Short mmCIF file of all heavy atoms in Angstrom, two decimals:
data_model
loop_
_atom_site.label_atom_id
_atom_site.label_comp_id
_atom_site.label_asym_id
_atom_site.label_seq_id
_atom_site.Cartn_x
_atom_site.Cartn_y
_atom_site.Cartn_z
N ILE A 154 0.82 -9.90 15.23
CA ILE A 154 2.16 -10.26 15.71
C ILE A 154 2.20 -11.74 16.08
O ILE A 154 3.11 -12.48 15.68
CB ILE A 154 2.55 -9.41 16.93
CG1 ILE A 154 2.75 -7.95 16.51
CG2 ILE A 154 3.82 -9.95 17.59
CD1 ILE A 154 2.97 -7.00 17.69
N ASP A 155 1.20 -12.18 16.84
CA ASP A 155 1.16 -13.58 17.27
C ASP A 155 1.07 -14.52 16.07
O ASP A 155 1.70 -15.59 16.06
CB ASP A 155 -0.04 -13.80 18.20
CG ASP A 155 0.09 -13.05 19.53
OD1 ASP A 155 1.21 -12.63 19.86
OD2 ASP A 155 -0.94 -12.89 20.20
N LEU A 156 0.29 -14.13 15.07
CA LEU A 156 0.17 -14.97 13.87
C LEU A 156 1.50 -15.08 13.14
O LEU A 156 1.90 -16.18 12.74
CB LEU A 156 -0.89 -14.37 12.93
CG LEU A 156 -1.03 -15.08 11.58
CD1 LEU A 156 -1.61 -16.47 11.75
CD2 LEU A 156 -1.89 -14.25 10.63
N ALA A 157 2.19 -13.95 12.96
CA ALA A 157 3.48 -13.98 12.27
C ALA A 157 4.47 -14.88 12.99
O ALA A 157 5.21 -15.65 12.36
CB ALA A 157 4.04 -12.56 12.14
N LYS A 158 4.50 -14.80 14.31
CA LYS A 158 5.41 -15.64 15.08
C LYS A 158 5.03 -17.12 14.98
O LYS A 158 5.89 -17.99 14.79
CB LYS A 158 5.43 -15.18 16.54
CG LYS A 158 6.25 -13.92 16.76
CD LYS A 158 6.31 -13.57 18.22
CE LYS A 158 7.40 -12.52 18.48
NZ LYS A 158 8.77 -13.04 18.33
N ALA A 159 3.74 -17.41 15.09
CA ALA A 159 3.29 -18.80 15.02
C ALA A 159 3.55 -19.40 13.65
O ALA A 159 4.01 -20.55 13.53
CB ALA A 159 1.80 -18.88 15.35
N GLU A 160 3.30 -18.63 12.60
CA GLU A 160 3.52 -19.13 11.25
C GLU A 160 5.01 -19.27 10.94
O GLU A 160 5.41 -20.16 10.19
CB GLU A 160 2.83 -18.22 10.22
CG GLU A 160 1.32 -18.33 10.23
CD GLU A 160 0.85 -19.71 9.80
OE1 GLU A 160 1.29 -20.18 8.73
OE2 GLU A 160 0.06 -20.32 10.54
N SER A 161 5.81 -18.40 11.52
CA SER A 161 7.26 -18.53 11.35
C SER A 161 7.75 -19.84 11.96
O SER A 161 8.54 -20.58 11.36
CB SER A 161 7.98 -17.35 11.99
OG SER A 161 7.67 -16.13 11.34
N ALA A 162 7.26 -20.12 13.15
CA ALA A 162 7.65 -21.36 13.83
C ALA A 162 7.15 -22.59 13.08
O ALA A 162 7.86 -23.59 12.93
CB ALA A 162 7.12 -21.36 15.26
N ARG A 163 5.92 -22.50 12.59
CA ARG A 163 5.33 -23.65 11.90
C ARG A 163 6.02 -23.94 10.57
O ARG A 163 6.29 -25.09 10.23
CB ARG A 163 3.84 -23.39 11.66
CG ARG A 163 3.09 -24.55 11.00
CD ARG A 163 1.72 -24.12 10.50
NE ARG A 163 1.82 -23.10 9.47
CZ ARG A 163 2.13 -23.33 8.20
NH1 ARG A 163 2.42 -24.56 7.79
NH2 ARG A 163 2.20 -22.34 7.33
N SER A 164 6.33 -22.87 9.83
CA SER A 164 6.85 -23.03 8.47
C SER A 164 8.37 -23.16 8.42
O SER A 164 8.92 -23.60 7.41
CB SER A 164 6.43 -21.85 7.60
OG SER A 164 7.04 -20.65 8.06
N GLY A 165 9.04 -22.75 9.49
CA GLY A 165 10.49 -22.80 9.49
C GLY A 165 11.13 -21.67 8.71
O GLY A 165 12.33 -21.70 8.43
N ARG A 166 10.36 -20.64 8.36
CA ARG A 166 10.92 -19.46 7.71
C ARG A 166 10.36 -18.22 8.39
O ARG A 166 9.26 -18.24 8.95
CB ARG A 166 10.60 -19.43 6.21
CG ARG A 166 9.13 -19.27 5.86
CD ARG A 166 8.89 -19.35 4.36
NE ARG A 166 7.49 -19.10 4.00
CZ ARG A 166 7.01 -17.91 3.68
NH1 ARG A 166 7.82 -16.85 3.65
NH2 ARG A 166 5.73 -17.74 3.38
N THR A 167 11.12 -17.15 8.39
CA THR A 167 10.71 -15.94 9.09
C THR A 167 9.66 -15.18 8.30
O THR A 167 9.87 -14.85 7.12
CB THR A 167 11.92 -15.02 9.34
OG1 THR A 167 12.89 -15.73 10.13
CG2 THR A 167 11.51 -13.75 10.06
#
Side-chain angles (χ1 to χ4, degrees):
I154 292 173
D155 294 343
L156 175 68
K158 283 184 166 290
E160 289 295 308
S161 295
R163 183 193 62 78
S164 66
R166 66 184 184 93
T167 300

